[in-house]
Amino acid sequence: MVTTVSDADGHRYGMTASSFTSVATDPPLISVCLASAGTTYRMIRRSGVFAVSVLGHDHTSISRRFATADSPYSDRFAEGRWDTAWTGAPVLADAPAWLDCVVTACHQAGDHTILLGSVQDAATPRPVAPLVYHARTYYEGLLR
């Protein structure tokens, strides 16, 4: 789950991402690839911050809520318990892990943009198996 907050109005934005990648350990950097025309990408560019919440095996409904393109952004955060990270980006309070980032670079890649984020803070709130999504199917109990 990739989330951000708008500087101007304080609204939260987010989407389900299929993956993120560790880029470097010193300094700690990660990357996410987002559709360049998407609202979440535009809001991340505006705020300069984003967070990644790793979803647990029991977060299928939250993943679906954030993956639905026609879901109003105000309704996406109605499910789950959300905290605010150091940058102001929302993080899922009961996620297996989350990373709070400042955007350090953006690279165009076709109709997507690769965002590099410098990790400012991280936590592992709950030791639980992750949610696995493969071949358009959720595997909720696969790794338990």
Side-chain angles (χ1 to χ4, degrees), residues 74-85:
S74 60
D75 293 340
R76 290 187 177 185
F77 292 90
E79 184 178 342
R81 192 168 49 86
W82 297 90
D83 286 336
T84 302

Side-chain angles (χ1 to χ4, degrees), residues 15 22 33 37 55 59 64 70 77 81 107 122 138:
M15 59 166 284
S22 172
C33 298
L55 299 179
H59 289 138
R64 284 192 175 115
D70 61 356
F77 292 90
R81 192 168 49 86
H107 302 282
Y138 288 98

Side-chain angles (χ1 to χ4, degrees), residues 46-139:
R46 180 182 294 172
S47 69
V49 301
F50 68 94
V52 172
S53 293
V54 176
L55 299 179
H57 68 88
D58 53 349
H59 289 138
T60 302
S61 63
I62 293 174
S63 177
R64 284 192 175 115
R65 175 183 289 270
F66 277 76
T68 305
D70 61 356
S71 173
Y73 279 88
S74 60
D75 293 340
R76 290 187 177 185
F77 292 90
E79 184 178 342
R81 192 168 49 86
W82 297 90
D83 286 336
T84 302
W86 178 81
T87 63
V91 292
L92 192 58
D94 68 341
W98 56 258
L99 303 156
D100 186 31
C101 302
V102 171
V103 175
T104 58
C106 298
H107 302 282
Q108 290 298 307
D111 62 353
H112 279 60
T113 300
I114 302 165
L115 293 170
L116 288 180
S118 173
V119 178
Q120 305 299 300
D121 196 10
T124 54
R126 185 171 66 119
V128 64
L131 180 62
V132 176
Y133 183 78
H134 173 70
R136 298 180 184 221
T137 302
Y138 288 98
Y139 295 91

